């Protein structure tokens, strides 16, 4: 296999969230009966069940019909007026002061921001620490930019008041020359929040060993049970030259279809990200940038209501899994559960295909989030409540058909 082939072999998106429709499920043999039920795609949230703000389309139309060319062709990092307004909102949210001209970029989705941030910090042979499990793209981005991966274990199942990152392993990786640490907080897929002590330690290690932090905070607005959240960028010891925070309106706000994201922090890295954006997509869709005006400007009570609805779905799903004896950590933030099926006779990729064929349900195999998670699946529970509950019941029934013999 030549170099380019082996590079893309590692990027393999066959089992990535959203790609299931392309899989062939005909080769899967099933045990037990096929279960009827309304189709649920747990690989992403359902924006019909949890709709975007109606104002979002008005802002798009304003960009398209009233503003026109200057909105279509913005500076690569985004239209100055939108940058200013978004910087103010993100500053208030994260408890810091973001300079709109130097420290912020608007990207095509949070995914776009991730690509640019890794591309702006990692080059061939650089050592990069990633949490495991963590968002499926993180490891692939490091591969693509030819960095060397340093996975750091996140013991999410055995803690309640912290995410469970192995901080000694993180320090060992930093000592060994890691130059960038990339992680999501809240964590996707485990749904856990890093405690203030964990963030404290990560900041102090990054200062001690001169490591750049890329923190993906996409789910940091959707916190359950009144939990607190520590923004790394507003930590008193944070070196702003070494932190890039990434977030966007795709999840809690259901604006994913507009493909909008943001990154803010180190002016040097933001500047590099703009250079890279100039050769990837030029800019985030111009008309869509205007939709950011609806972000953090939701009507009173809208966010609370949205979070409460998700918390109720979470509670029902956790109860079902636990009653069935399946191990799962309580989601503290975001819309994911990551149950672990200890006694399955098939691996999670096969189980996901079985679920599609036999239970009319799409889930994401655990191995997308780290090679060791062969007995876990990830569900995005931002779904119609009843449909999600019914679908989880089907998952549990099917899991019963594929139990290992004792
Ligand atoms: C942690 C995390 N980062 C980035 C993304 C990509 O988000 P977007 O739709 O804004 O590109 C996702 C989507 O699932 C995510 O969960």
């Amino acid at each position: 296999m030549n170099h380019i082939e082996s590079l893309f072999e590692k990027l393999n998106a066959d089992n990535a969230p959203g790609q299931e429709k392309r899989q062939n499920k005909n080769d899967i043999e099933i045990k037990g009966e096929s279960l009827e039920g309304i189709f649920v795609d747990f690989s992403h949230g359902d924006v019909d069940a949890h709709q975007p703000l109606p104002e979002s389309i008005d802002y798009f139309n304003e960009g398209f019909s009233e503003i026109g060319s200057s909105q279509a062709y913005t500076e690569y990092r985004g239209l100055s007026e939108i940058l200013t307004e978004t910087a103010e909102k993100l500053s208030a949210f994260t408890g810091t002061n973001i300079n709109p001209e130097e420290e912020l970029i608007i990207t095509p989705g949070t995914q776009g921001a991730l690509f640019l941030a890794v591309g702006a910090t990692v080059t061939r042979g650089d050592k990069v620490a990633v949490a495991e499990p963590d968002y499926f793209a993180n490891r692939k981005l490091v591969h693509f930019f030819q960095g060397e991966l340093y996975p750091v274990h996140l013991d999410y199942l055995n803690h309640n008041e912290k995410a469970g990152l192995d901080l000694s392993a993180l320090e060992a990786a930093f000592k060994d020359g890691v130059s960038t640490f990339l992680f999501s907080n809240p964590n996707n897929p485990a749904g856990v929040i890093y405690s203030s002590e964990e963030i404290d330690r990560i900041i102090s290690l990054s200062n001690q060993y001169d490591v750049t932090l890329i923190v993906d905070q996409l789910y940091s607005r959707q916190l359950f049970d009144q939990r607190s959240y520590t923004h790394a960028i507003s930590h008193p010891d944070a070196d702003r030259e070494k932190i890039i925070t990434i977030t966007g309106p795709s999840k809690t706000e259901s604006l994913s279809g507009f493909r909008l994201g943001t990154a803010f922090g180190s002016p040097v890295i933001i500047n590099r990200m703009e250079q890279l954006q100039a050769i990837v997509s030029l800019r985030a869709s111009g008309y869509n940038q205007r939709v950011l005006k609806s972000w953090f400007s939701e009507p009173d009570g809208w966010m609370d209501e949205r979070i409460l609805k998700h918390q109720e779905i979470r509670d029902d799903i956790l109860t079902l899994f636990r009653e069935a004896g399946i191990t799962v950590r309580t989601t503290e933030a975001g819309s994911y559960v990551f149950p672990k099926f200890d006694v399955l006779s098939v691996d999670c990729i096969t189980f996901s295909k079985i679920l599609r064929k036999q239970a009319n349900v799409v889930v994401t195999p655990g191995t997308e989030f780290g090679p060791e998670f062969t007995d876990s699946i990830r569900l995005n529970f931002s779904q119609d409540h009843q449909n999600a509950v019914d679908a989880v019941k089907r998952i549990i029934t099917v899991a019963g058909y594929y139990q290992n013999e004792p």
Side-chain angles (χ1 to χ4, degrees), residues 59-368:
Y59 283 117
F60 173 85
N61 283 330
E62 183 184 82
F64 177 77
S65 325
E66 290 171 34
I67 300 175
S69 191
S70 63
Q71 188 65 63
Y73 291 96
T74 71
E75 302 87 308
Y76 297 150
R77 63 177 61 198
L79 190 76
S80 158
E81 174 200 340
I82 311 280
L83 285 172
T84 303
E85 203 177 306
T86 307
E88 267 169 34
K89 291 170 174 179
L90 288 169
S91 298
F93 176 60
T94 56
T96 184
N97 195 4
I98 303 161
N99 176 335
E101 278 161 31
E102 307 276 325
E103 296 181 322
L104 176 64
I105 184 168
I106 301 170
T107 57
T110 310
Q111 190 85 358
L114 269 178
F115 181 87
L116 301 182
V118 178
T121 48
V122 177
T123 187
R124 182 179 297 186
D126 285 348
K127 298 175 177 176
V128 185
V130 294
E132 217 159 79
D134 209 329
Y135 185 50
F136 80 97
N138 295 4
R139 280 170 308 124
K140 294 184 185 183
L141 283 166
V142 177
H143 282 309
F144 183 70
F145 289 104
Q146 302 181 38
E148 190 185 335
L149 262 186
Y150 274 68
V152 178
H153 185 59
L154 183 76
D155 188 15
Y156 62 98
L157 280 175
N158 292 311
H159 298 280
N160 283 318
E161 296 306 324
K162 59 178 184 176
L165 190 72
D166 184 339
L167 293 164
S168 310
L170 188 72
E171 177 161 19
F174 285 13
K175 251 189 200 156
D176 209 34
V178 157
S179 54
T180 301
F181 175 38
L182 166 62
F183 66 108
S184 62
N185 180 26
N187 173 272
N188 170 358
V192 299
I193 302 173
Y194 285 72
S195 66
S196 67
E197 291 77 18
E198 285 175 309
I199 295 296
D200 226 49
R201 186 73 185 132
I202 291 169
I203 296 279
S204 112
L205 289 173
S206 110
N207 289 338
Q208 186 179 348
Y209 294 99
D210 195 22
V211 174
T212 298
L213 301 176
I214 302 176
V215 195
D216 179 348
Q217 302 196 171
L218 183 51
Y219 268 109
S220 56
R221 290 186 85 192
Q222 190 169 304
L223 311 179
F224 299 129
D225 311 311
Q226 258 77 48
R227 282 182 185 269
S228 60
Y229 181 90
T230 308
H231 293 276
I233 194 166
S234 56
H235 189 283
D237 298 335
D239 175 351
R240 290 174 70 105
E241 291 302 323
K242 290 211 292 270
I243 300 191
I244 288 292
T245 309
I246 286 171
T247 190
S250 295
K251 300 296 176 178
T252 320
E253 304 84 347
S254 296
L255 296 176
S256 175
F258 288 106
R259 308 307 305 130
L260 287 165
T262 61
F264 52 97
S266 157
V268 171
I269 300 176
I270 294 290
N271 192 40
R272 284 190 209 147
M273 290 171 71
E274 186 178 35
Q275 310 309 315
L276 192 50
Q277 180 138 284
I279 55 170
V280 178
S281 61
L282 291 175
R283 59 181 65 78
S285 155
Y287 304 134
N288 292 5
Q289 287 180 35
R290 204 136 201 101
V291 172
L292 284 176
K293 282 179 166 279
S294 64
W295 196 28
F296 288 97
S297 300
E298 300 83 11
D300 282 350
W302 189 91
M303 256 304 182
D304 293 341
E305 169 79 10
R306 177 140 294 195
I307 293 169
L308 187 66
K309 285 220 157 90
H310 282 83
Q311 194 168 306
E312 288 167 358
I313 303 171
R314 173 202 70 169
D315 289 346
D316 283 353
I317 287 179
L318 289 175
T319 304
L320 288 171
F321 278 127
R322 288 186 178 138
E323 280 174 1
I326 295 157
T327 313
V328 60
R329 170 133 174 211
T330 298
T331 309
E332 297 168 353
S335 298
Y336 299 110
V337 284
F338 196 48
K340 184 172 184 306
F341 295 75
D342 296 310
V343 291
L344 275 188
S345 57
V346 288
D347 64 62
C348 61
I349 294 180
T350 312
F351 187 51
S352 302
K353 288 183 183 164
I354 288 170
L355 288 176
R356 218 176 118 222
K357 186 162 177 175
Q358 196 168 358
N360 212 18
V361 166
V362 170
V363 301
T364 306
T367 42
E368 283 297 298

